[in-house]
Each structure stands twice: as structure tokens, then as C-alpha cells.
Amino acid sequence: MTLGLAACGQAPAARTPAPPAQFVDARTLPLSQASAGDYDRVLETGLAAEPQIWRAPNVSTKVYRAPVGLGREAIAAYYRKAAAEGGWLPDPSSTPPARALAGQYWSFGYKAGPRRFMVAGVEPGPALAVPPAGLPVVVRTNAD
């Protein structure tokens, strides 16, 4: 069936790139490390200000923890490469909302036709102690 679709010029559906190997699925953490404290609050505030599309019923959300050394720039570079290899284009509508806490919350996104994914997280700051399990990172998608 895929061959038939490809022959008609229709590419196979884009899949959300897998997270970096260093990411840990937050669902696998012990209960004592489940909360990221203030980072969770900053992340929730930023996510709440994102466009309505990210709250649609067909959007899945996965929460990961990233080591502190794997910051926003490294995560963005990883997804930029993975997105390009998977046929995704940058989605300018997935830039951090103005109401998010400037300098702490970050997000970016990609699209392939009607499919989209976004990645959001929180930069460590002097006022926030780093959680033992790492920094929270959220991946939302309607492509899986």
C-alpha cells in the first residue's frame, strides 16, 4: 500500500522524531523524583499560553527529563537535524508565547502538512534549583 501511495506522489506520513538518547521518560522515574518543583510550574505556565492547536484531542503529550548539560541549544540542534531528515519544516507559529516567563520557558515546533510537533522546556536559572532527575522537557504531537 505504501508503494502505491509513493507512486502517486504522496509521501509516507511524517513521524515525530524520537527524543535524544539522553532523555528519560518521566513516567519511569521513582515517585520521589516525579516532581520538578518550580520548573513544572514555569513549564505549565508556558504551555498554557501556547496556541490552542496544542490542546486538541488528537495531540499527545510526553514529558521527559533532560540532563542539565543538554540545554535548549543542544536540544534544538538535535530536533533541527532530525526534523530535516524526516521531512519536517520549521513552524513559525510554535515560537514561545509572549506571556511565558521570558528567559526561562522556551519552545519550538515543526510541521509536515497537517502534522505538527513541538518541544518545550525550561532553562535553568539561578533562582531555581535543578531537579535531581533533570530538567523537564515536553514533546507534543499530532503525528503519532
Side-chain angles (χ1 to χ4, degrees), residues 51-138:
Q52 185 67 29
I53 186 172
W54 298 115
R55 289 180 283 290
N58 67 332
V59 171
S60 68
T61 300
K62 293 185 180 169
V63 180
Y64 299 97
R65 292 298 183 86
V68 176
L70 191 68
R72 179 180 56 84
E73 291 302 322
I75 293 169
Y78 170 86
Y79 277 103
R80 188 171 32 255
K81 181 177 184 287
E85 291 171 355
W88 295 88
L89 300 172
D91 184 357
S93 70
S94 291
T95 57
R99 293 185 307 247
L101 299 175
Q104 294 179 359
Y105 175 82
W106 54 263
S107 68
F108 56 85
Y110 291 89
K111 62 183 178 176
R115 298 172 181 273
R116 298 172 184 267
F117 79 90
M118 72 167 291
V119 180
V122 181
E123 280 290 304
L128 301 174
V130 176
L135 298 169
V137 177
V138 169

Side-chain angles (χ1 to χ4, degrees), residues 1-31:
M1 179 104 172
T2 304
L3 181 58
L5 290 176
C8 294
Q10 195 171 4
R15 303 247 340 132
T16 305
Q22 303 93 321
F23 276 23
V24 173
D25 187 329
R27 296 173 299 180
T28 65
L29 294 173
L31 192 54

